[in-house]
Amino acid sequence: MLKQLKNNIMFAVLSLLLLAFLVLIGPMNAFQHGYYANEVDVTTILNDDLAGTYDLTNGEYTTTFIPAKKHMAGVEVYIAKQDSTQGSLILTIEDDNGKVIDRSEVEVSNVKPETWYKFYTKGKYQIGSQYTLHIMASGTSGNITLQKATSSYMPEESKAGEVLLSFAYKKATFNHEARILISFFIISLWFILLSTCFAEKKKKTIQLIGIVGVVVTVLSWNFVFSSIEGQTTSNIAFQVYNDSLNTGISEAEKYNDFYVADDTYQYGLGRYSSINGSYYGVRNPYTNNDEWMEGYSKTESAILVSESSYIEKISENAKKIRFQNGETYVIKDIKKIGENYRIDLDGPVLSSSEQGALDYAVFIDASGSDLPRGYLSPYKQQFGLQGKVFRIVYRVLHNGDTALHMLKLACSMISALVFVIISILIKKKYNAIMAGCFLLTFWLSPWTALFAQNLYWVEFTWFIPMAVGLYCSLNINNSKARYISYFLAFVSILIKCLCGYEYISAVMMGLITFMLTDLIAAILSRDKGKAILLFRTTFIMGLVALLGFIAAICMHAILRGNGNLLEGIITIFKSDVLRRTAGADLNQLSANLWDSMNASRWEVLCRYFHFDTDIIVGIPGKLFQVICIIPLGIFAYDFHNRKLDVIKVALYIVTFLTSISWIVLAKSHSYVHTFLNFVLWYFGFVQVCVYVIFDHFSRVVSSHRAEG
């Protein structure tokens, strides 16, 4: 009884500690650091914008301000002149009731002229509340002056006054993603702690929930922050480029001044373009060379902008262009030159320093009306289910950056959860070593980590079918479980295809990988009853997956054919399928795709045995061929000693075929997209190779220990 009481007290105390930390890291966001201010570079202020100085020796300077953010850390004052050797510079702040809540004093001998002096504040400041700021000099022997400037240089906090000030704030130590993941980790730990309060059966279930939460957090942390390998430039560029089919719609709607095709919102994904070119998540640079500077001709009245749907659209109606400085010029001609459009104007030689950045230029039609400043066109190669869902989130959160980070975090956590579920099912079906090999590979692979958070690829949709197939193979003798699996297979393949058809052969093979393995083992062991059941189940599972694929094609084809299903299917086949496989007419393709059509499947497959990255962290890509071959040597050795494990051989063969299925079938896609398709090896093949090698090594070690 006493022991139980002690356990309950310990549980309560630890729970309170975890709750306190959860509140601090979550709702309160209590961990802040630093002193960050947006100081104006006074040397760049035009002389006409400098409005003299304020001499503190003639009296204190008073103004009001309203904090724009939480966690105000201080006030910076620009000291224009200081030649006093004695006295003090004093800053005081009063609240709206006239109560002094902050006071800071410094000897003027420590204050240098022509610098920003940082005053640190200790009071608690509320966003939206008004405060009065007093700056004064006391006991000085010379001049101390503050710099005055026009209102355009005043910070947003200042509601009155003309002296240059800057307000500093602390930054949150943890960003939104880190706070959510740490909070999730704390809650998972609490579940593990909670499990100690229950009997054995409930204890295991609750403990498993907690452990899964911890592992999901660890995997997600790496997926989001690249914590093990570190974020690379190519990684960032990959994410930004692919995500832009989602974020482009948000970018367009942020400005709400754009052309939109009639069928744009029927599709989930879209490409936004403006005078700056097609939007790929970052601003495009304008041409800079001997003839052009920031898109302006150095010798003629002309500008040069990137080719885009927007320029093609406005070229029909644009008659004039108005630049950022308000000047308007007649457009004489718009013509395509390579990958750019040259726009000739009736006027003098222009420049960005005079007319302003081209980003702010506006085209005008014949009636004198401003034309829209962007164009949003649909991405028709897929239905874009992910974009439809993510668009709702963007609109609900009303903050593109926050929505983007939250969606990427959600994708990472769902991917991590799917990987953990697959590993748990493998442990139940096979053993802990194989489960560990799968989990570690998912976690430490630079390829699965690369795709996990991506909003275009939504990686978790690739592996949910594998989890469904594993569940079915585990419960093959349960008819109810089989029917549930058939339904889940249909839904998971349908969702995957509505989000994109890439890798669909590998995804569908992943669905039946473990049932095919069991079928091979049943046939070799001459278990006729089990073989028939497995064959029937695998066939039905493949059939419902095919139905899911067909359903997605039909939903997409109705859009692609403008309501005509057959026409849409023909368009998809000609425009998308043939271009990715090997049946397209070279006359219908651009020259950069001809090599991909002419290459043999063998040539393409050989490309994928030469990794440019680690296979998993710490194992260089140069060893990939070795890792592929070692299991074959192990199988030969075991066969010679009559210890061959048929399941391992079957898994090796089936996962190999699963991984190469897309490389071979979508030969043209694979030839071009080597920067993407190495991820196909992680549909089970790398995991099985690692397992076979590690399992054999552990058996050798065990046998040596037994002999010793």
Side-chain angles (χ1 to χ4, degrees):
M1 189 72 177
L2 184 60
K3 183 179 179 181
Q4 183 63 41
L5 180 61
K6 287 182 178 179
N7 289 340
N8 290 341
I9 293 173
M10 181 64 69
F11 171 75
V13 170
L14 291 175
S15 295
L16 286 173
L17 289 174
L18 289 175
L19 178 61
F21 189 61
L22 182 65
V23 171
L24 288 172
I25 199 79
M28 290 183 65
N29 195 14
F31 297 93
Q32 305 288 325
H33 69 280
Y35 186 101
Y36 297 92
N38 293 319
E39 305 165 349
V40 175
D41 184 353
V42 180
T43 61
T44 64
I45 299 178
L46 300 175
N47 289 332
D48 291 343
D49 292 333
L50 295 172
T53 58
Y54 186 96
D55 193 341
L56 290 176
T57 58
N58 295 329
E60 72 173 39
Y61 174 77
T62 303
T63 187
T64 59
F65 69 91
I66 298 176
K69 303 175 186 176
K70 292 182 179 180
H71 308 292
M72 193 172 116
V75 179
E76 291 190 324
V77 181
Y78 188 79
I79 309 298
K81 182 180 179 182
Q82 199 294 101
D83 56 12
S84 176
T85 58
Q86 61 185 15
S88 301
L89 185 63
I90 303 168
L91 177 143
T92 59
I93 299 175
E94 300 171 352
D95 62 17
D96 53 1
N97 295 319
K99 179 183 177 182
V100 176
I101 61 172
D102 241 322
R103 187 179 188 280
S104 187
E105 182 175 345
V106 60
E107 292 184 11
V108 293
S109 59
N110 295 326
V111 179
K112 297 179 181 179
E114 298 183 355
T115 59
W116 286 93
Y117 187 80
K118 297 174 172 57
F119 285 100
Y120 289 82
T121 55
K122 302 178 180 63
K124 300 295 182 183
Y125 297 87
Q126 301 296 322
I127 297 176
S129 296
Q130 182 168 291
Y131 300 89
T132 302
L133 170 67
H134 301 271
I135 304 174
M136 66 191 77
S138 175
T140 57
S141 58
N143 295 320
I144 300 179
T145 60
L146 309 181
Q147 181 65 57
K148 296 195 291 185
T150 57
S151 60
S152 60
Y153 294 95
M154 297 298 108
E156 61 178 313
E157 292 86 353
S158 291
K159 302 305 174 185
E162 53 188 358
V163 164
L164 283 178
L165 299 173
S166 181
F167 293 83
Y169 300 90
K170 295 179 180 180
K171 281 187 179 180
T173 302
F174 306 104
N175 61 19
H176 292 305
E177 299 99 305
R179 288 167 57 205
I180 290 172
L181 286 173
I182 293 172
S183 298
F184 194 77
F185 185 79
I186 292 170
I187 293 170
S188 301
L189 288 179
W190 183 79
F191 269 97
I192 295 173
L193 185 64
L194 179 66
S195 68
T196 61
C197 301
F198 289 87
E200 193 63 25
K201 188 175 181 181
K202 287 186 177 180
K203 178 180 179 178
K204 287 184 176 180
T205 302
I206 297 172
Q207 190 177 62
L208 179 62
I209 293 172
I211 293 172
V212 167
V214 169
V215 178
V216 166
T217 304
V218 172
L219 267 65
S220 300
W221 192 280
N222 186 43
F223 296 161
V224 172
F225 299 113
S226 301
S227 57
I228 295 178
E229 280 204 309
Q231 194 76 291
T232 63
T233 302
S234 60
N235 187 330
I236 295 170
F238 173 86
Q239 300 295 344
V240 169
Y241 178 86
N242 287 281
D243 287 339
S244 63
L245 286 169
N246 284 286
T247 58
I249 295 177
S250 173
E251 184 75 8
E253 293 181 347
K254 180 167 64 177
Y255 299 106
N256 199 30
D257 182 20
F258 57 94
Y259 291 105
V260 60
D262 293 337
D263 58 350
T264 293
Y265 288 112
Q266 295 179 30
Y267 295 86
L269 302 172
R271 179 68 69 198
Y272 178 68
S273 58
S274 65
I275 192 172
N276 187 241
S278 295
Y279 176 77
Y280 292 106
V282 293
R283 179 183 179 276
N284 298 308
Y286 290 101
T287 303
N288 286 287
N289 54 34
D290 293 339
E291 299 178 24
W292 304 89
M293 175 66 73
E294 288 297 310
Y296 288 91
S297 172
K298 295 180 179 180
T299 57
E300 301 175 79
S301 184
I303 60 174
L304 193 70
V305 296
S306 298
E307 175 188 3
S308 68
S309 300
Y310 174 69
I311 297 299
E312 293 174 8
K313 183 75 174 176
I314 61 95
S315 62
E316 304 168 5
N317 301 311
K319 302 301 179 184
K320 297 180 181 179
I321 184 170
R322 184 176 67 250
F323 292 100
Q324 186 181 9
N325 68 348
E327 294 179 359
T328 301
Y329 296 95
V330 173
I331 295 174
K332 294 168 58 178
D333 189 27
I334 300 178
K335 56 187 175 184
K336 186 177 179 182
I337 302 176
E339 297 182 351
N340 298 301
Y341 272 89
R342 176 186 171 117
I343 303 175
D344 290 301
L345 307 175
D346 185 11
V349 176
L350 310 174
S351 68
S352 59
S353 59
E354 291 291 330
Q355 276 65 42
L358 285 179
D359 286 358
Y360 301 99
V362 177
F363 291 99
I364 303 171
D365 64 17
S367 67
S369 300
D370 290 358
L371 293 173
R373 296 181 61 184
Y375 179 58
L376 183 62
S377 56
Y379 183 74
K380 297 185 177 182
Q381 279 79 358
Q382 58 179 259
F383 183 84
L385 177 63
Q386 70 275 52
K388 289 177 178 286
V389 174
F390 296 157
R391 192 184 305 160
I392 295 172
V393 178
Y394 277 114
R395 290 172 177 170
V396 169
L397 292 181
H398 301 294
N399 186 320
D401 289 338
T402 300
L404 176 66
H405 291 304
M406 292 302 98
L407 287 171
K408 293 173 85 67
L409 174 62
C411 285
S412 297
M413 294 187 73
I414 296 172
S415 296
L417 179 60
V418 172
F419 294 154
V420 171
I421 290 172
I422 288 172
S423 302
I424 290 172
L425 293 173
I426 286 175
K427 180 179 180 297
K428 288 185 176 182
K429 184 173 178 63
Y430 298 105
N431 54 63
I433 294 177
M434 187 188 292
C437 291
F438 266 77
L439 186 61
L440 285 172
T441 303
F442 282 137
W443 177 31
L444 300 178
S445 162
W447 291 94
T448 52
L450 179 69
F451 285 92
Q453 62 172 307
N454 196 273
L455 303 185
Y456 172 80
W457 294 99
V458 280
E459 183 181 44
F460 60 86
T461 63
W462 308 350
F463 291 97
I464 288 176
M466 181 180 287
V468 172
L470 263 169
Y471 170 78
C472 186
S473 67
L474 266 169
N475 300 278
I476 193 69
N477 295 313
N478 186 322
S479 59
K480 183 178 179 180
R482 293 199 302 272
Y483 292 134
I484 292 173
S485 300
Y486 299 151
F487 172 75
L488 293 176
F490 174 83
V491 172
S492 61
I493 295 297
L494 173 65
I495 291 174
K496 163 65 188 96
C497 293
L498 290 177
C499 292
Y501 306 111
E502 291 94 346
Y503 310 148
I504 188 58
S505 62
V507 173
M508 293 176 75
M509 281 288 289
L511 173 69
I512 59 174
T513 288
F514 298 96
M515 285 181 289
L516 279 176
T517 301
D518 291 344
L519 176 59
I520 293 171
I523 292 172
L524 293 177
S525 64
R526 299 181 182 179
D527 188 338
K528 185 177 179 180
K530 188 174 182 180
I532 292 173
L533 175 61
L534 282 164
F535 177 80
R536 184 173 69 244
T537 304
T538 304
F539 178 80
I540 296 173
M541 189 73 82
L543 183 62
V544 296
L546 185 61
L547 290 174
F549 174 75
I550 293 171
I553 287 284
C554 290
M555 293 172 67
H556 184 196
I558 290 172
L559 299 183
R560 201 72 184 273
N562 296 317
N564 187 317
L565 176 63
L566 182 58
E567 184 179 326
I569 291 175
I570 293 172
T571 301
I572 291 171
F573 182 74
K574 288 183 176 180
S575 301
D576 301 330
V577 176
L578 293 181
R579 181 167 58 88
R580 286 172 169 80
T581 54
D585 183 347
L586 295 183
N587 294 302
Q588 306 300 319
L589 297 176
S590 57
N592 64 323
L593 294 177
W594 292 350
D595 287 345
S596 69
M597 287 292 149
N598 289 326
S600 69
R601 286 180 170 81
W602 173 252
E603 177 187 349
V604 174
L605 182 59
C606 288
R607 285 176 168 232
Y608 286 89
F609 284 91
H610 301 278
F611 267 67
D612 290 330
T613 67
D614 284 353
I615 302 167
I616 59 176
V617 174
I619 301 179
K622 293 179 180 180
L623 295 179
F624 180 66
Q625 295 178 46
V626 176
I627 288 176
C628 293
I629 294 171
I630 288 177
L632 297 177
I634 292 172
F635 296 151
Y637 177 82
D638 287 344
F639 178 78
H640 177 74
N641 291 283
R642 299 188 179 184
K643 295 179 180 179
L644 183 63
D645 187 336
V646 174
I647 292 292
K648 290 179 184 175
V649 178
L651 278 171
Y652 181 90
I653 294 171
V654 173
T655 54
F656 177 77
L657 295 175
T658 296
S659 295
I660 70 168
S661 62
W662 179 264
I663 296 173
V664 173
L665 294 174
K667 182 259 297 183
S668 179
H669 182 277
S670 299
Y671 182 92
V672 174
H673 292 87
T674 49
F675 59 94
L676 297 173
N677 292 355
F678 278 96
V679 74
L680 288 162
W681 290 120
Y682 298 90
F683 277 80
F685 182 67
V686 169
Q687 292 91 323
V688 168
C689 287
V690 172
Y691 166 65
V692 171
I693 295 169
F694 186 82
D695 182 65
H696 183 77
F697 177 77
S698 63
R699 283 190 286 122
V700 170
V701 171
S702 297
S703 64
H704 278 295
R705 285 179 178 175
E707 291 173 2

